[in-house]
Amino acid sequence: MKLILSFLFVLMLGPGLFFMDGAILKDIKLKSETLSPANVPTSDRKCRSKLYLFQSCSFDYTDNQKDLDQSYFFMSFGPPETLVLLRGTKSGVLTSDVGQDYLWNRILTILLFPGLALWALVKYLGKTRQHAAPPLQQTRHVPPHVPTHSGGHPANRAIFGKRR
């Protein structure tokens, strides 16, 4: 049962990260467009680093009288320095420079996390099964007894090796 629940958790990790980010498809579509700075007020902008490798950025903004928020989670060696909103010239869709600059980092994070979790699960289960298996009883091989003559004629004795 533990194995099944662990495997289901690993399977749901990738889609869960994809929907937590939510803007990857939008940013892929905007990659081909020309982007210009958007004069949209933002609030609560923050980028945090966890274990130096994992970055989490989020911000709130208002667009067309709607209060919206966006957050990103990705792997990078250091947090982004700025967070500027950008607007696509053709579509008018909003994104940020963090979303565009770290797009491949976000995609790799979504792909690598379930892979690493699955690898860790296999390693962990391999070790627990190894310790849980009962030790095999080893049978000792006993060579058959060869009778030797302690005395008598040399032709009746067993000969070992070459004679000099």
Side-chain angles (χ1 to χ4, degrees):
M1 186 65 174
K2 191 178 195 181
L3 174 67
I4 293 171
L5 290 176
S6 301
F7 187 71
L8 289 175
F9 173 75
V10 169
L11 284 180
M12 295 307 295
L13 191 60
L17 286 173
F18 180 77
F19 287 110
M20 277 176 48
D21 189 321
I24 288 181
L25 292 177
K26 175 180 73 169
D27 285 334
I28 288 173
K29 290 175 187 173
L30 287 174
K31 197 76 172 164
S32 62
E33 281 192 45
T34 304
L35 301 172
S36 60
N39 294 325
V40 176
T42 61
S43 63
D44 199 23
R45 291 189 284 177
K46 57 187 166 197
C47 285
R48 294 185 179 163
S49 180
K50 295 178 175 109
L51 299 175
Y52 186 69
L53 182 64
F54 304 106
Q55 313 303 325
S56 174
C57 294
S58 64
F59 59 93
D60 298 333
Y61 63 98
T62 304
D63 188 36
N64 296 330
Q65 309 300 329
K66 294 180 186 175
D67 290 331
L68 303 170
D69 63 343
Q70 181 63 51
S71 61
Y72 304 112
F73 180 74
F74 55 93
M75 291 187 297
S76 174
F77 293 114
E81 294 178 9
T82 62
L83 191 124
V84 177
L85 284 180
L86 304 170
R87 188 181 297 273
T89 54
K90 292 179 187 174
S91 63
V93 176
L94 284 173
T95 187
S96 70
D97 62 338
V98 173
Q100 289 296 307
D101 294 342
Y102 293 93
L103 178 63
W104 291 110
N105 294 48
R106 293 163 45 209
I107 292 170
L108 286 175
T109 300
I110 287 175
L111 295 176
L112 288 178
F113 255 85
L116 289 174
L118 185 61
W119 176 79
L121 179 67
V122 167
K123 292 294 271 185
Y124 171 74
L125 289 176
K127 285 182 181 180
T128 56
R129 287 182 185 235
Q130 215 173 33
H131 293 298
L136 296 174
Q137 292 183 357
Q138 295 180 354
T139 56
R140 239 175 53 177
H141 177 68
V142 178
H145 179 65
V146 178
T148 59
H149 299 289
S150 59
H153 195 277
N156 293 337
R157 289 190 209 152
I159 299 173
F160 296 103
K162 269 186 169 177
R163 288 192 164 207
R164 293 188 183 166

